[in-house]
Amino acid sequence: MSRRILFGLFGLFILLGLNLLLGLVYSSLELNSWFVPDPSPLERATEFSWERLPPRKELEWRDCFQGRQCARLIVPLNHSDPLGELEAVIALIRKPSIFPPDSDSYRGPILFNPGGPGGSGVDFIQGLRGDCLAQSLVLSSILWASIRVVLGVPPPRIVFQDGRRACDMGQGSSVANDSAEGVARTWAHQTARDMLSIVEAHGRYKLQYWGFSYGTVLGATFASLFPDKSSASSLMVLLTPMTKWSNNLVDAGKALESFFIGCAEAGPDGCDFWAPTPKDIRQNLTRLYDSVRSSPLPIKSRSTYGLLDYSGLRTVVFTALYSPYALFPLLARGLAELAAGNGTPIFERLSDPPFQCSCDPSEHMFDVHRDASTAIICNDNHEIPNNLEWTEKYFETMGKASPEFGDMWSTGLIACQGWPKFPKINFQGPFEANTSHPILLIGNTADPVTPLWGAHKMSRGFNGSVVLTQDSAGHCSVSGPSLCTQQNIRKYFLDGTLPEPDTVCNVTESPFPEASSGFDPAYEQFLLTMDSDDREMFAAVLELSKIPFVPHFPLLVYSPQG
């Protein structure tokens, strides 16, 4: 099959789960651009504004960003009451296929979800990551992102913790709006019905879907609710839906150990925090922990100031585990500087870049905010007991699951203790079905937050599904460059072919640069065995692995300025 036909077989769509509630844009803990480099700064078309794009009940695409088209689709706020007065709007973005929808080579859209929960799919697709995902599938792809905004209600007022949030909304009022019309509708099953609405608005009847992280919760929810509507679903790193969030970190220790092993193997020229053995490197990190715990470092740089303490240092280390190929070398460099007495590089990785309001109301419409994750997690989960006994037990459970990071992770669910109480009528399982096409589940052997066991557990509920294992650290398979994994994903979306059960795919190189001349005969031979399509796909996969995956789960509320 020619490369041109492969490029046009699909449109790739990306759908973002709920992260804009009642018109509120929230912010998650983000590291600055020095620590999480943006390889392709988003270039917003000066003539385009989401505010000027009218919402419709049918898809009406307009050119927006470079090589992209945008639309806003009206859906019911509550799909259980489709004729109700209140409606919601989903913002959509796509990269069009080179083939028109009526072409024999066009295979239809793939709905894509970047996870979070509450991650910005618009930003996810505008930049280099969207192009790499399309190229990695050997497709000229269509990509979608979606955010719900409630229509027909007055703009809410809320107390903001910082000037950025108030600036985002152009308000500084002291009255909070926790109306059930918006906040209480942030449920996975409502988003699953949004997904179906999008597919049907495109003139299709079955879903093709690729979900990462929390996007797998949405994919599993959709497959359970609409098993006859699932044409192909690739779920990347399974979160077991509606769990108590107590088993997420069981492989975090493996991910951290991969840093120690990789650094030791890279040698002093390949890893700035090098020591002769992984154990030595672990001990050196422990010494840094002990140092900043007993004596936090005061920091003042050109862009920020504050204290580098124990929580801040662990936040930097934990975040790096999501993206080893993008962040392990930077983490090693920062730790080496800290060991030498310079804490500024590590501290700056904790600080948001300076923020400025924009004259365009939609400029920051899709910024990621921590409170969006809290809303989604608290609504989708069972009601969290508001008492000290439960808190202590949960905190202890998380500490046993991950001695290194369990206390940090536990704050996400503990935050739900103060969440408004209302009837839990959202879908909470069972997550099982005989789908019209078997599901492909993918997990890493050392994913810090979504362990491989979740994929195997979910697979037992969906007849005919297969688990593909990628032998690497990092969050989601795109955190490591594996041609084998991507070839299997491409075959699956091309003709529905599933890999053999128990298939394990390896990555092709280390997160740390080799301390040699750079010539590796085995690696050169590997490149020579690929045809032109595979080489281009591998180049895209390698580039994807170097784009940081920024966590949106509210690990901890960290403010370097106190």
Side-chain angles (χ1 to χ4, degrees):
M1 182 175 292
S2 72
R3 177 184 165 200
R4 177 176 174 81
I5 292 178
L6 284 171
F7 260 74
L9 288 178
F10 302 102
L12 181 60
F13 284 68
I14 292 191
L15 166 70
L16 170 67
L18 238 54
N19 78 339
L20 198 144
L21 317 173
L22 287 169
L24 293 178
V25 184
Y26 299 102
S27 158
S28 73
L29 177 65
E30 295 183 53
L31 303 179
N32 70 0
S33 57
W34 191 92
F35 183 55
V36 183
D38 184 356
S40 177
L42 304 181
E43 298 179 357
R44 186 178 295 273
T46 56
E47 70 278 4
F48 176 75
S49 170
W50 286 99
E51 285 286 305
R52 296 194 294 268
L53 184 61
R56 308 287 188 191
K57 291 190 175 181
E58 60 283 326
L59 290 178
E60 185 177 300
W61 296 102
R62 295 189 184 181
D63 292 337
C64 49
F65 308 100
Q66 184 176 7
R68 309 297 193 265
Q69 293 179 331
C70 297
R72 297 174 73 196
L73 180 67
I74 297 175
V75 297
L77 175 63
N78 182 1
H79 285 274
S80 298
D81 183 20
L83 300 180
E85 293 184 2
L86 293 178
E87 297 175 318
V89 173
I90 304 172
L92 307 167
I93 185 170
R94 74 177 184 180
K95 181 178 180 181
S97 167
I98 62 173
F99 290 107
D102 57 356
S103 169
D104 291 340
S105 298
Y106 182 68
R107 296 287 183 87
I110 298 177
L111 200 60
F112 192 105
N113 187 287
S120 173
V122 170
D123 286 352
F124 193 89
I125 298 314
Q126 278 181 248
L128 178 63
R129 184 182 271 112
D131 291 330
C132 287
L133 283 168
Q135 184 61 38
S136 69
L137 285 170
V138 199
L139 306 169
S140 178
S141 305
I142 300 174
L143 302 100
W144 288 34
S146 144
I147 291 181
R148 270 187 155 216
V149 184
V150 178
L151 293 179
V153 296
R157 295 179 294 171
I158 193 166
V159 177
F160 292 95
Q161 294 181 3
D162 54 57
R164 172 171 181 162
R165 298 187 191 185
C167 185
D168 282 347
M169 295 308 300
Q171 54 183 314
S173 178
S174 60
V175 180
N177 184 339
D178 60 353
S179 79
E181 283 80 9
V183 176
R185 300 301 178 195
T186 58
W187 290 331
H189 78 270
Q190 293 286 355
T191 305
R193 286 174 167 82
D194 287 344
M195 294 158 65
L196 183 59
S197 297
I198 293 169
V199 172
E200 291 176 343
H202 200 262
R204 299 278 167 167
Y205 302 99
K206 291 195 175 185
L207 173 71
Q208 296 185 109
Y209 179 79
W210 189 2
F212 292 94
S213 194
Y214 180 78
T216 63
V217 174
L218 300 177
T221 300
F222 184 95
S224 300
L225 292 174
F226 311 110
D228 59 327
K229 299 290 186 180
S230 299
S231 176
S233 292
S234 177
L235 303 182
M236 183 78 66
V237 187
L238 257 291
L239 281 165
T240 304
M242 316 315 157
T243 67
K244 298 180 180 179
W245 295 83
S246 59
N247 296 316
N248 299 75
L249 304 187
V250 296
D251 287 340
K254 293 180 183 178
L256 181 59
E257 187 66 21
S258 75
F259 172 77
F260 301 141
I261 294 173
C263 182
E265 291 178 346
D269 295 329
C271 178
D272 293 326
F273 198 57
W274 179 83
T277 69
K279 182 179 179 180
D280 293 333
I281 298 173
R282 177 185 288 273
Q283 290 175 341
N284 290 341
L285 177 60
T286 299
R287 292 189 186 97
L288 292 180
Y289 281 155
D290 293 340
S291 176
V292 296
R293 179 161 48 189
S294 61
S295 301
L297 287 178
I299 304 292
K300 186 178 186 303
S301 68
R302 293 182 179 180
S303 60
T304 187
Y305 66 93
L307 289 175
L308 176 59
D309 58 13
Y310 179 59
S311 295
L313 179 56
R314 288 202 304 153
T315 298
V316 172
V317 173
F318 183 71
T319 302
L321 304 184
Y322 279 65
S323 307
Y325 287 81
L327 301 181
F328 274 9
L330 288 174
L331 174 63
R333 192 178 312 151
L335 293 176
E337 290 282 343
L338 179 59
N342 179 18
T344 300
I346 285 285
F347 183 79
E348 287 184 335
R349 299 170 191 182
L350 285 165
S351 306
D352 289 327
F355 177 79
Q356 293 182 339
C357 289
S358 171
C359 295
D360 180 1
S362 67
E363 179 71 21
H364 298 286
M365 182 179 289
F366 303 112
D367 285 2
V368 179
H369 293 269
R370 180 173 55 243
D371 301 284
S373 296
T374 299
I376 297 168
I377 292 167
C378 295
N379 281 352
D380 273 351
N381 258 285
H382 56 83
E383 188 172 304
I384 304 301
N386 189 13
N387 59 67
L388 181 60
E389 181 182 0
W390 180 90
T391 304
E392 290 178 335
K393 184 177 180 180
Y394 179 66
F395 197 82
E396 180 182 355
T397 299
M398 290 305 305
K400 291 179 179 178
S402 174
E404 298 94 344
F405 307 109
D407 57 335
M408 296 169 57
W409 189 263
S410 66
T411 59
L413 202 57
I414 290 174
C416 296
Q417 290 181 316
W419 194 248
K421 310 300 181 185
F422 47 80
K424 293 285 187 176
I425 60 174
N426 54 309
F427 178 77
Q428 296 197 26
F431 293 90
E432 55 187 35
N434 184 16
T435 55
S436 54
H437 191 84
I439 296 174
L440 172 61
L441 312 174
I442 307 171
N444 291 1
T445 52
D447 190 305
V449 293
T450 50
L452 182 61
W453 71 264
H456 287 284
K457 180 177 180 179
M458 186 59 64
S459 178
R460 291 195 291 269
F462 293 99
N463 293 339
S465 63
V466 170
V467 175
L468 172 66
T469 300
Q470 180 168 298
D471 188 15
S472 67
H475 187 44
C476 304
S477 71
V478 293
S479 64
S482 173
L483 180 63
C484 166
T485 297
Q486 201 56 45
Q487 285 174 330
N488 278 287
I489 294 173
R490 183 181 69 176
K491 291 176 183 176
Y492 178 68
F493 281 115
L494 181 64
D495 57 19
T497 301
L498 286 161
E500 291 295 322
D502 302 320
T503 296
V504 178
C505 287
N506 297 317
V507 291
T508 53
E509 53 185 70
S510 166
F512 291 96
E514 295 295 330
S516 62
S517 62
F519 179 75
D520 183 348
Y523 184 70
E524 294 297 324
Q525 183 61 36
F526 165 73
L527 294 178
L528 289 174
T529 61
M530 294 187 285
D531 59 25
S532 59
D533 285 341
D534 281 346
R535 280 195 293 271
E536 291 186 7
M537 181 169 60
F538 178 69
V541 169
L542 185 61
E543 190 68 36
L544 272 172
S545 71
K546 296 178 180 178
I547 303 176
F549 197 114
V550 181
H552 302 305
F553 186 86
L555 315 168
L556 58 93
V557 180
Y558 181 79
S559 175
Q561 285 83 35

